Amino acid sequence: MITTTSSSSRSLLRSLLREAHKVNDYNFRSYAIRRVKAGFKMNSGLEGDAKMAAIQEGEEQLAILRRQVIVGNLYPSDTSVMESTN
């Protein structure tokens, strides 16, 4: 059971980070990456049912992030100064 939840949490982390990197807008992308990392750091000490509930909530957040990426691709923003390379 420990390896199952640990492997599913690692898989969830990778999926969330992968989707966060797909966000077009620099500010939203940075925020999403920070949120993912902070959420996993905050929930790293959970065990048992609390860990399963956190994984379930993370999967819901992944679905929200996927929808946000789709909406962001429908209405792209200009390139940020932080992203431009001169």
Side-chain angles (χ1 to χ4, degrees):
M1 171 118 182
I2 292 175
T3 57
T4 305
T5 57
S6 129
S7 65
S8 64
S9 65
R10 267 183 272 145
S11 174
L12 180 61
L13 174 63
R14 285 192 302 268
S15 297
L16 280 165
L17 287 175
R18 191 176 307 118
E19 286 298 318
H21 282 286
K22 291 180 184 178
V23 176
N24 279 339
D25 188 74
Y26 174 80
N27 291 323
F28 291 133
R29 182 174 52 245
S30 298
Y31 173 74
I33 293 170
R34 271 195 324 270
R35 265 306 286 277
V36 168
K37 289 179 180 178
F40 271 83
K41 188 174 185 178
M42 181 179 67
N43 292 327
S44 65
L46 296 179
E47 295 293 326
D49 291 337
K51 187 171 188 173
M52 293 303 291
I55 289 173
Q56 181 65 33
E57 182 181 344
E59 289 172 355
E60 292 170 3
Q61 293 299 317
L62 178 60
I64 291 170
L65 187 56
R66 284 183 175 152
R67 288 192 300 269
Q68 187 63 39
V69 167
I70 291 170
V71 170
N73 288 336
L74 292 174
Y75 305 101
S77 61
D78 293 334
T79 304
S80 171
V81 175
M82 298 296 290
E83 293 176 310
S84 64
T85 57
N86 293 331

